[in-house]
Amino acid sequence: MKLEAIRRTPPHAEPEVTREDLKRVETRVEFVAQEVEGEKLLSRYILQQARKNGDDLAIVKTRVERVEEKVEKLEQKFDRLEQKVDRLEQKIDRLEIRLPA
């Protein structure tokens, strides 16, 4: 509807609405409705991906914790082996001292 047509309409008279005006409004409403549906679809997809990423992150975190535990156990084993090697070196050194040259 054109602004001039509204201005020419008497104050209490109903403005003239054409089929063309209604069609334009209908087209705009349909466009906005499609846009809203698209936004909803995108929001659902983002939410789904966020949930999936959260699940993946939890799995990775669990695996990292297991690896940390294994590394800690390996460090303890290595420390014990290092102590054994040190004791063996000391024994060898004492044996060398005792052996005649």
Side-chain angles (χ1 to χ4, degrees):
M1 177 168 34
K2 296 183 179 176
L3 191 55
E4 300 91 35
I6 294 173
R7 287 185 184 150
R8 282 186 266 144
T9 306
H12 295 291
E14 292 184 22
E16 206 175 288
V17 178
T18 65
R19 286 182 188 262
E20 188 179 302
D21 293 334
L22 291 175
K23 185 66 179 166
R24 269 188 267 146
V25 170
E26 181 181 3
T27 302
R28 286 183 182 176
V29 169
E30 286 175 3
F31 177 78
V32 170
Q34 289 173 355
E35 202 172 68
V36 167
E37 286 304 313
E39 293 288 335
K40 285 181 185 178
L41 186 64
L42 181 61
S43 296
R44 284 188 204 115
Y45 175 77
I46 291 169
L47 182 59
Q48 178 187 31
Q49 292 302 309
R51 286 181 183 149
K52 183 182 179 297
N53 290 344
D55 292 346
D56 291 346
L57 186 59
I59 291 168
V60 169
K61 183 179 176 189
T62 301
R63 288 181 181 172
V64 166
E65 288 171 354
R66 282 191 221 142
V67 169
E68 286 175 340
E69 288 173 7
K70 289 180 180 181
V71 167
E72 191 173 311
K73 288 177 184 177
L74 286 172
E75 285 177 338
Q76 291 171 356
K77 284 183 179 182
F78 181 80
D79 289 343
R80 286 192 303 269
L81 284 172
E82 193 174 35
Q83 291 170 356
K84 285 182 180 181
V85 168
D86 288 344
R87 285 193 302 266
L88 280 173
E89 283 180 335
Q90 290 172 0
K91 285 182 182 181
I92 291 173
D93 288 343
R94 282 189 300 237
L95 285 174
E96 284 180 344
I97 293 173
R98 290 185 194 165
L99 290 175

